[in-house]
Amino acid sequence: MEWYVVGLGMLGLLMGFILIGLPIPFALAAASIPFLLDILSLKSSLVTVELKLWGVWFNYILLAVPLFVFLGELIGRSSIGPNLYWFMHSKLPIRGAAAYGSIGACAGFGAVCGSSMVGALTIGGVALPQMLKLGYGKRLSSGVLAAGGTLSVLLPPSLILLFYGIVTDQSIGALFIAGVVPGLILVTMFFIIVFIWGKVNPEDIPGHENATPIPWLIALSALLPIVLVGLVITISIYAGIATPTEAAGVSAIFMLGLAFSFGGLRLKGLLEALKATMQTMGYLGLLLSSGVLFGFVMTYHQIPQQFTELFVDMQLSPYAVLAMIIVFYVILGMFLEPVSMTFITLPTLFPLIHAAGFDLIWFGVVYTITMEIAVLTPPVGLNLFVIQSLARDKVTIGDVIIGCIPFIAALVVLLFVLIGMPDTALWLPELME
């Protein structure tokens, strides 16, 4: 069977299964099995499926995923996350402190947790009701928090960068550190957007906020765990002391102790954090397993290699190829969430980027920013619905979408900065070497 027949057939089946409402992990597996049976007997196919599905659960590198998710859940279930926002809000003696504090809290949370959704839920759950109560505009409040959650995806550790590194076989440590400078630039751009918003629509930012000052002892109970765990992750990975998995394990245990000691975590909160982690990993585990199976069938038929050769023969310029891929992901991101896109499309497209002459570490950051745009674009923008669900009676999904537009524009500007100046992402990894 020709490679393009297999490729189009798998893609057609996948889209058909998704359209009829089949969950993506099962859609991936169901689209793979008919073409797996074409190359193997039924008995061999069953064995292959078992090996591919279970092999993911024993992958040492992927063990970092549930550990980082658990780390984020511990912060969310304890008082560390809420107190981090309280500190950022009450200790900023400027107009718009709650908005700036939300961005700062999301950035701080992103330094220890790689999940955009967990970041948006943890900080947004505290900040959104408070900002609305203080008199902030609904669109500004929801837009800041939905976009702020994406900082967890770019600032290390990042689950998307982790998945990208696994699929493309790139150094996860190098990918993490490559996201630092773009992440800090994005935080600065978000601050500028809030400042400009306050000038254009002054009614959306109250002139005076009656924020209760946070006692310094409580502030330290929030800052200390975040700083310590952030240092443990950063130093251990970049100094070569530990792998990302080992760093995630040590950080999770460390945060568990800090959450009980400083964050008021109790047994009930720990059990809820474990339950939430297992629920998240139940979906992610199935998605990863079926994605590996999908990739195995594509690789057997050499679809990525043939697809790359086809584009090389067309003799397109490297930047034309890059532009096509970015537009493709932005459009696809309107319908699929980032993890699914990573395992469905990246095995086919990253060889094309490599053949075009682009650095794969640099493209990892570009790819991650594109995924950030995906979680902010309807109709399947995860962060949009996460934030709207926190205040259904006061904020509509339209408010969240409109509020996110300036922040999406900032992400697009950052993409152009990275394309025009690749050293923005590559300078720090090269310096660390």
Side-chain angles (χ1 to χ4, degrees), residues 1-8 295 297-315 346-353 355:
M1 193 178 295
E2 295 292 337
W3 69 271
Y4 53 85
V5 175
V6 176
L8 291 174
V297 176
M298 287 201 303
T299 303
Y300 180 88
H301 287 279
Q302 295 190 321
I303 293 173
Q305 296 89 334
Q306 295 289 344
F307 189 74
T308 301
E309 288 182 13
L310 178 65
F311 267 84
V312 169
D313 290 342
M314 292 171 67
Q315 296 184 337
L346 199 55
T348 302
L349 294 180
F350 91 84
L352 182 59
I353 286 292

Side-chain angles (χ1 to χ4, degrees), residues 22-332:
L22 196 66
I24 291 175
F26 298 107
L28 277 168
S32 307
I33 288 173
F35 298 94
L36 186 64
L37 291 171
D38 183 62
I39 58 178
L40 296 173
S41 66
L42 177 61
K43 184 176 180 180
S44 298
S45 295
L46 290 174
V47 172
T48 300
V49 170
E50 291 173 5
L51 290 174
K52 294 298 177 184
L53 295 181
W54 285 107
V56 168
W57 295 92
F58 293 98
N59 188 311
Y60 175 73
I61 298 176
L62 284 176
L63 185 58
V65 178
L67 291 170
F68 280 129
V69 172
F70 180 57
L71 179 62
E73 291 292 343
L74 286 175
I75 299 172
R77 306 287 172 176
S78 66
S79 63
I80 295 173
N83 285 344
L84 178 65
Y85 166 74
W86 188 12
F87 169 77
M88 292 290 184
H89 173 199
S90 67
K91 295 300 182 183
L92 288 174
I94 56 175
R95 183 169 177 265
Y100 294 117
S102 296
I103 295 169
C106 287
F109 189 85
V112 293
C113 173
S115 171
S116 176
M117 187 171 66
V118 173
L121 275 171
T122 302
I123 305 301
V126 180
L128 185 57
Q130 178 70 8
M131 291 180 72
L132 293 175
K133 182 180 177 182
L134 289 170
Y136 280 80
K138 294 184 292 183
R139 293 174 178 177
L140 174 62
S141 303
S142 55
V144 160
L145 293 166
T150 65
L151 296 171
S152 297
V153 181
L154 189 56
L155 290 168
S158 163
L159 293 186
I160 295 299
L161 283 173
L162 179 64
F163 292 143
Y164 175 90
I166 292 168
V167 172
T168 61
D169 196 28
Q170 297 297 303
S171 167
I172 293 170
L175 285 166
F176 280 0
I177 199 168
V180 172
V181 174
L184 294 176
I185 292 173
L186 191 61
V187 171
T188 304
M189 292 173 72
F190 282 3
F191 284 152
I192 294 171
I193 288 171
V194 172
F195 178 79
I196 295 173
W197 193 312
K199 295 294 183 183
V200 176
N201 298 302
E203 69 278 4
D204 284 347
I205 298 180
H208 178 70
E209 299 179 20
N210 296 315
T212 305
I214 184 172
W216 277 106
L217 189 61
I218 297 178
L220 287 174
S221 72
L223 286 176
L224 192 62
I226 296 293
V227 172
L228 289 176
V229 171
L231 288 174
V232 167
I233 295 172
T234 304
I235 295 174
S236 60
I237 293 177
Y238 303 149
I241 299 172
T243 64
T245 301
E246 292 165 346
V250 171
S251 300
I253 294 172
F254 195 29
M255 180 56 76
L256 182 61
L258 292 172
F260 273 107
S261 303
F262 298 100
L265 185 69
R266 296 294 177 261
L267 181 60
K268 181 182 178 181
L270 174 60
L271 294 176
E272 289 175 350
L274 287 169
K275 181 181 177 181
T277 301
M278 287 189 287
Q279 287 175 334
T280 301
M281 288 311 302
Y283 176 81
L284 282 180
L286 286 172
L287 180 60
L288 296 174
S289 302
S290 54
V292 168
L293 180 64
F294 193 84
F296 168 76
V297 176
M298 287 201 303
T299 303
Y300 180 88
H301 287 279
Q302 295 190 321
I303 293 173
Q305 296 89 334
Q306 295 289 344
F307 189 74
T308 301
E309 288 182 13
L310 178 65
F311 267 84
V312 169
D313 290 342
M314 292 171 67
Q315 296 184 337
L316 296 173
S317 72
Y319 287 100
V321 173
L322 179 65
M324 290 172 63
I325 289 176
I326 290 175
V327 170
F328 167 75
Y329 274 124
V330 169
I331 295 172
L332 190 64

Side-chain angles (χ1 to χ4, degrees), residues 385-400:
F385 295 98
V386 165
I387 294 300
Q388 196 264 336
S389 69
L390 298 174
R392 291 184 184 276
D393 55 334
K394 296 180 180 179
V395 178
T396 67
I397 192 65
D399 291 328
V400 187

